[in-house]
Amino acid sequence: MEELNPEITPATSAERKSSSWSQVLRDAIETILLAVVLFVVINAVSARVRVDGFSMRPTLENGEYVLVYKLAYRFNDPQRGDIVVFRFPLDPTQDLIKRVIGLPGDVVQVENGVVSVNDRMINEPYIAASPDYAGTWVVPPDQLFVLGDNRNDSSDSHAWGMLPMNNMIGKAILVYWPPPDWNLIDHTNVVSAAP
């Protein structure tokens, strides 16, 4: 019986180098493609915003970075107490962050330092101080009434009017920077104000 003895020739150093470079190039392309796909997916569902100013104090501080869930209101409606990020109706190039107080159809009243929704005073343990302004607002369909937690130092619905829902970017989920401030954001439930 004849033995088959295929000849195996060792790869030359040039062939090994070429093979190694093509492997490195392929790995680099795969890594870049994976990074691009992850970047696109992450940006489709989330945003990162910097808190500028003191309007949400004490809940959020100036300079903190917040992760925003952009799909939060695609299938669900905002709730009272949600902290939301949106395009400012008077200047859509600015993003603001405030707390939802009134939903469509609600009557929001601020009187004697107390906020009431549909004639029910809401408990607000998260505010810096009671508001020193007064007024009554009826929230139209497809709009929200939003206030900053630092009521007396906030440009919000009491000053510029209602927030159209189509200006919403998403729901603030957590503070991720600076590291000592890492924290899930408390969306205090004020549902007891429902009619």
Side-chain angles (χ1 to χ4, degrees):
M1 183 169 236
E2 192 175 313
E3 267 187 48
L4 292 174
N5 188 6
E7 285 186 34
I8 300 174
T9 57
T12 66
S13 113
E15 290 171 338
R16 280 192 300 254
K17 221 180 226 184
S18 170
S19 172
S20 128
W21 277 109
S22 67
Q23 182 64 38
V24 167
L25 182 60
R26 192 173 94 216
D27 289 348
I29 290 171
E30 287 175 0
T31 301
I32 290 168
L33 286 175
L34 179 62
V36 167
V37 167
L38 286 173
F39 177 80
V40 168
V41 169
I42 288 169
N43 282 316
V45 299
S46 69
R48 284 125 337 262
V49 297
R50 181 177 188 271
V51 177
D52 286 323
F54 302 97
S55 71
M56 285 300 293
R57 214 174 198 179
T59 307
L60 299 171
E61 294 294 333
N62 183 47
E64 289 180 332
Y65 284 83
V66 174
L67 184 67
V68 178
Y69 181 43
K70 290 166 68 172
L71 301 179
Y73 304 119
R74 183 166 306 264
F75 305 108
N76 298 306
D77 293 330
Q79 301 298 310
R80 291 182 198 91
D82 286 357
I83 296 176
V84 297
V85 175
F86 56 91
R87 290 179 303 282
F88 182 33
L90 302 182
D91 180 3
T93 64
Q94 287 186 52
D95 295 341
L96 299 182
I97 186 166
K98 305 292 178 199
R99 188 179 298 269
V100 174
I101 300 300
L103 301 173
D106 283 348
V107 177
V108 179
Q109 184 172 23
V110 179
E111 189 174 22
N112 299 322
V114 174
V115 178
S116 298
V117 177
N118 302 324
D119 293 325
R120 290 187 178 177
M121 182 182 88
I122 59 174
N123 182 23
E124 299 187 289
Y126 46 79
I127 64 173
S130 297
D132 63 5
Y133 52 83
T136 301
W137 300 266
V138 177
V139 185
D142 298 320
Q143 298 198 31
L144 300 170
F145 185 87
V146 295
L147 294 175
D149 289 356
N150 189 0
R151 295 289 155 80
N152 300 315
D153 189 19
S154 177
S155 172
D156 51 34
S157 288
H158 92 274
W160 44 258
M162 302 299 149
L163 167 65
M165 282 204 211
N166 61 6
N167 283 40
M168 297 281 279
I169 293 171
K171 182 177 183 177
I173 300 297
L174 65 91
V175 174
Y176 71 90
W177 194 264
D181 295 344
W182 285 353
N183 195 14
L184 287 175
I185 294 176
D186 178 25
H187 296 270
T188 302
N189 189 340
V190 290
V191 172
S192 63

